[in-house]
Amino acid sequence: MMADTATRVSYGRALANLGGKYDFVVMDADLSGSTHTCMFAEKFPERFINCGIAEGNMISVAAGIATTGMPVFASSFAMFAAGRAFEQVRNSVGYPHLNVKICATHAGVTVGEDGGSHQCCEDIAIMRSIPGMTVVCPADDTEAYAAIEAILKYDGPVYCRLGRHPVPVVFDPESYKFELGKAVPVFEGNDCVVFATGVMVSKAIEAYDILKSEGINISVVNIHTIKPLDTETIIKYAAKTKHVVTAEEHSVIGGLGSAVCEVLSENLPTRLARVGIQDVFGRSGKAGELLEYYGLTGEGIAKKVRTLLGVSK
Amino acid sequence: MDSKKNKYLKEKAAEIRSLILDAVYYGGSGHPGGSLSSADIIAYLYFDKMNVSVENPHDPARDRFVLSKGHCCPALYAALALKGFIPVEDIKTFRHIDSYLQGHPDMKKVNGVDMSTGSLGQGFSAACGMAKAAKITGSKYRVYTIIGDGESEEGQIWEAAMFAAHYKLDNLTAFLDFNGLQIDGNIRDVMNPTPFDVKFQAFGWHVEIVDGHSFEEIDNAVKRSEGLGRPVMIICNTVKGKGVSFMENKHAWHGKAPKAAEYETAKKELDENLSKIRGEK
C-alpha cells in the first residue's frame, strides 16, 4: 500500500522528471515551495521563472513565452490562478489558444486551516466556461503524474486542478493508462453510478464498499477530464443504472455535477443528486475535518445514493 | 537618420493614417485618436527598425511587436497591409461580421500579428514573456511594444515593469504613447498616472523622452538605449488624433468613427499632407 500523497507533490515530481526529457518552462508566483514547482526549479533553474506575487502578470508572461513555441507550466493556488488571474487566463491564454498549462494547487476546501478566502470551489466552473480550455482534475498520485505528462504532450491551454492534502493512491502506477478526455470506470454496479473527480474518487470507492455491505451495487466512474467531457461514457452509465450521483470537492454550481446535468438533460434525462459544496464559502479547519463538515465523504456519497434510490439504511 | 529615410518614413506614416481613417470609417466604429497618435511609432518599427518579412512571417528569429494598446489596431493593420502581410483592400472590412480584422488584434486570424491583445496591460506582460523566452533560448531577436498612457493606470503594467527590470530584459523596447487623453478625458483628471519617467526609472528601466512624431528623435533614442542591460521605455510625447486637425487633442475621438462629411474632410487633409511629403526634396 502506497502512502497517501498530495497531487501537488505528484506534480512537482512529474515536472522534475519530465524536465530532463522535454523542453518547457515552469513559472510560479512566490509559492514554489507550496505548489512543489521548487522541485523543477532546483534541477532546471535556467527554465524556472519566479514572477513574485503577481499572478495576472505571470499568466500573460506565460502566454508571451508560449507564442515562441515553448510550452509553459504556470502555477499558483487555484484561488489566484483561476480566480485573480481569470481574465489573463481568458484573454492572454484562452483567446489565442496558447500552449500554457495552468496547474493550480490548493484547490477546494482541503486547503484546510487557511480558510474560506483561500479555498477555491469555483475554479472548475470558471475555467470550463473558457472556449477551448481543457480542464483536468486528477484523483491521486498515479493519475496526477500521468496527467502532467499527457497535458505536456497536448498542444493547447489546460487548467489542471491539484490538491494540498494527501489522498490515497487508488491507481496502480504500473498498469494505469491516462487518456485526456476519457473517463475511467473503477467499479461496475447496476443500482446507481457515481461520477467522481479529484479527491472524491477515493471517497466514491469508500461509498462503493459501504453500499455493497448493504446490498446496493453502484458503478464508480472517475471523471478526471471535466472538459472535454466523456459524454459517451456518462450516457452509457446513466442508461445502465438509471440513477446518477456526482461527487466533487467543488461548488455544486458549475462544476462536474453541472456538467453531467447538462449532458444528461440534453440526451438522457436521469434522476441525479450532486455531492459537493452547497453554495457556501469554506472555513478554517483540518482538511479531514472539512471534508466531514461538508459531507464530502464515503458516507456522504452513500447517503445521497440511498436517498436517490429511496432506501433507508 | 538621413533625409531620404526620414522622408520615406513620413510617407509611410501618412499612408498608415489614411488607412486608419478608412478602417474606422468603413468599419463604422473603432479608435482613431490613439491609432493616429501611435502611427509614427508603428511606421518607424515596421518600415525601418524591425526584422520581419512577409516571406517568412513565423521566422523564430524575427523581431516581435505587441500592440498592448490593442484598440489602436487600425494603425497596426495599416502597417501590415502596406508591408504585404494582408491585402490593403481588406482594411475596409475592419470590424465587419465576415472579416478577420477584429476590433482588437487576433494573432490566430491576422497574418503578422504576434500577440492577441485588447485587454489593457496584458500585451505588455506578453511582450516581457517573449523577451524572457529569448533570454532562455539565447535568441537574438528584440521585442517591441506600445503601451498607452491611460493603459498605464492598469496595475498589470507595473507588475510587468517590475518583471522586465528584475530579469534585465534589455532586449525589450517599449514605447509609451503619451497623448494625454483617455476615453473619459485628460489622463490627469481621470486618474493621474504621471510622472512616467521617474516611475519607470524607479522600477529599473532606462527611460528616454522624445517627440513621438519625430523619426529622428525616436531613432536616436532607440539606438542610444540598446545594450544598457536594462529594459527600455521610450516615452513618446504625441498628439491624440495627429494628422486630422479636427480630431487633434480631442478625447471625443478616442473611440468613434467619423461621419461621411468628416471622413471626406479628414481624407482630404491627409491626402494633401501626403502629396506635400512626396513633393519634398
Side-chain angles (χ1 to χ4, degrees):
Chain A
M1 185 82 181
M2 288 171 72
D4 288 6
T5 307
T7 50
R8 60 173 168 150
V9 179
S10 327
Y11 170 54
R13 192 165 55 84
L15 290 180
N17 289 346
L18 297 167
K21 211 166 132 192
Y22 301 93
D23 206 14
F24 60 86
V25 169
V26 176
M27 305 182 72
D28 208 300
D30 192 43
L31 290 168
S32 64
S34 302
T35 63
H36 281 71
T37 58
C38 60
M39 295 166 79
F40 178 90
E42 277 165 28
K43 279 178 80 176
F44 309 101
E46 69 288 351
R47 282 188 280 142
F48 175 77
I49 305 168
N50 200 327
C51 293
I53 310 166
E55 297 80 9
N57 180 56
M58 174 176 72
I59 297 296
S60 297
V61 168
I65 294 172
T67 65
T68 70
M70 229 179 332
V72 186
F73 285 85
S75 286
S76 181
F77 292 177
M79 190 67 256
F80 315 124
R84 177 184 288 254
F86 165 73
E87 211 246 82
Q88 284 81 4
V89 174
R90 195 266 191 199
N91 273 323
S92 290
V93 175
Y95 185 50
H97 201 76
L98 290 169
N99 199 10
V100 176
K101 319 302 176 188
I102 298 131
C103 292
T105 66
H106 295 62
V109 292
T110 50
V111 168
E113 295 84 343
D114 278 353
S117 63
H118 283 54
Q119 295 166 353
C120 187
C121 297
E122 303 88 0
D123 53 331
I124 295 174
I126 51 188
M127 287 294 117
R128 83 181 179 94
S129 72
I130 298 173
M133 181 66 75
T134 292
V135 179
V136 179
C137 181
D140 73 347
D141 180 55
T142 303
E143 187 166 87
Y145 189 96
I148 298 305
E149 187 160 12
I151 65 174
L152 172 62
K153 290 175 179 168
Y154 164 78
D155 184 9
V158 177
Y159 179 78
C160 183
R161 185 182 213 241
L162 302 161
R164 169 180 186 247
H165 182 59
V167 290
V169 181
V170 295
F171 298 112
D172 176 9
E174 297 301 318
S175 58
Y176 180 76
K177 295 271 180 290
F178 180 90
E179 198 183 328
L180 265 179
K182 198 84 195 126
V184 181
V186 182
F187 288 119
E188 298 290 337
N190 292 325
D191 297 330
C192 180
V193 58
V194 176
F195 295 119
T197 192
V199 305
M200 294 308 288
V201 172
S202 67
K203 303 296 181 190
I205 291 169
E206 284 176 29
Y208 172 86
D209 288 331
I210 293 168
L211 292 166
K212 196 174 181 189
S213 70
E214 298 167 18
I216 300 170
N217 293 306
I218 62 167
S219 291
V220 172
V221 179
N222 166 22
I223 310 288
H224 56 62
T225 307
I226 292 154
K227 190 184 178 185
L229 195 61
D230 186 350
T231 53
E232 199 183 311
T233 299
I234 287 169
I235 293 166
K236 188 178 109 185
Y237 277 85
K240 172 171 126 170
T241 63
K242 312 279 191 296
H243 299 86
V244 174
V245 168
T246 61
E248 62 198 306
E249 188 202 5
H250 181 275
S251 172
V252 292
I253 299 171
L256 172 68
S258 295
V260 170
C261 284
E262 290 158 16
V263 169
L264 293 180
S265 35
E266 284 185 348
N267 294 282
L268 183 74
T270 308
R271 290 211 59 205
L272 185 147
R274 294 168 295 159
V275 173
I277 302 295
Q278 303 294 326
D279 197 21
V280 290
F281 290 110
R283 57 188 296 140
S284 288
K286 290 190 170 63
E289 293 171 343
L290 289 160
L291 290 173
E292 288 281 341
Y293 185 89
Y294 292 105
L296 304 178
T297 59
E299 178 52 34
I301 295 171
K303 211 166 139 188
K304 274 274 198 277
V305 172
R306 286 187 210 107
T307 308
L308 202 60
L309 297 177
V311 296
S312 50
K313 196 177 175 182
Chain B
M1 181 180 285
D2 61 44
S3 62
K4 202 177 144 200
K5 171 63 69 61
N6 198 24
K7 183 186 163 183
Y8 171 71
L9 289 174
K10 277 169 140 178
E11 204 175 313
K12 289 298 160 195
E15 289 169 17
I16 287 172
R17 287 196 164 87
S18 187
L19 288 176
I20 289 169
L21 260 289
D22 287 349
V24 293
Y25 175 67
Y26 288 99
S29 74
H31 299 81
S35 300
L36 291 165
S37 66
S38 58
D40 297 303
I41 305 164
I42 287 178
Y44 168 75
L45 289 173
Y46 276 91
F47 292 95
D48 184 32
K49 190 66 190 169
M50 286 202 321
N51 162 37
V52 289
S53 81
V54 180
E55 291 72 34
N56 195 3
H58 303 296
D59 182 0
R62 76 188 187 282
D63 289 334
R64 273 33 174 216
F65 175 68
V66 181
L67 183 63
S68 194
K69 45 179 296 186
H71 56 282
C72 298
C73 57
L76 174 59
Y77 295 159
L80 292 174
L82 294 171
K83 284 287 277 190
F85 284 96
I86 57 174
V88 173
E89 58 270 24
D90 290 358
I91 290 292
K92 291 182 178 176
T93 70
F94 178 53
R95 291 183 170 231
H96 291 187
I97 183 73
D98 52 356
S99 176
Y100 61 96
L101 296 177
Q102 298 296 295
H104 295 82
D106 183 338
M107 66 185 286
K108 293 285 170 182
K109 291 195 169 83
V110 188
N111 187 29
V113 171
D114 290 323
M115 181 66 200
S116 300
T117 53
S119 179
L120 296 177
Q122 298 187 25
F124 193 41
S125 298
C128 292
M130 293 173 184
K132 179 65 180 160
K135 294 286 181 190
I136 292 171
T137 58
S139 301
K140 295 294 169 213
Y141 65 78
R142 285 194 72 83
V143 183
Y144 299 93
T145 182
I146 300 179
I147 65 171
D149 47 7
E151 182 182 10
S152 302
E153 292 162 7
E154 285 283 3
Q156 188 167 353
I157 287 292
W158 304 99
E159 293 183 5
M162 213 175 347
F163 180 93
H166 182 83
Y167 286 108
K168 300 182 172 59
L169 302 180
D170 56 0
N171 53 351
L172 173 67
T173 300
F175 298 86
L176 197 157
D177 182 8
F178 190 6
N179 59 38
L181 297 171
Q182 58 192 114
I183 305 181
D184 272 355
N186 190 308
I187 60 164
R188 291 180 175 84
D189 297 330
V190 177
M191 179 48 64
N192 191 358
T194 66
F196 291 118
D197 53 350
V198 293
K199 278 185 185 151
F200 278 102
Q201 274 160 3
F203 273 73
W205 286 57
H206 173 77
V207 174
E208 296 273 351
I209 302 173
V210 302
D211 173 351
H213 303 303
S214 160
F215 295 111
E216 281 190 313
E217 284 195 30
I218 293 171
D219 189 46
N220 288 336
V222 164
K223 285 179 176 153
R224 262 200 307 273
S225 57
E226 286 175 8
L228 300 179
R230 284 187 282 173
V232 179
M233 177 58 67
I234 299 180
I235 298 170
C236 299
N237 289 310
T238 57
V239 172
K240 194 146 187 160
K242 175 75 176 178
V244 178
S245 52
F246 66 87
M247 289 185 178
E248 288 188 358
N249 290 315
K250 300 264 192 327
H251 76 265
W253 286 103
H254 173 91
K256 73 168 178 181
K259 294 186 172 60
E262 292 167 330
Y263 171 71
E264 295 304 330
T265 308
K267 283 288 273 189
K268 192 161 169 266
E269 187 179 342
L270 291 171
D271 287 346
E272 280 168 11
N273 185 43
L274 184 56
S275 307
K276 207 176 102 193
I277 294 162
R278 285 181 176 151
E280 280 173 10
K281 285 256 161 64

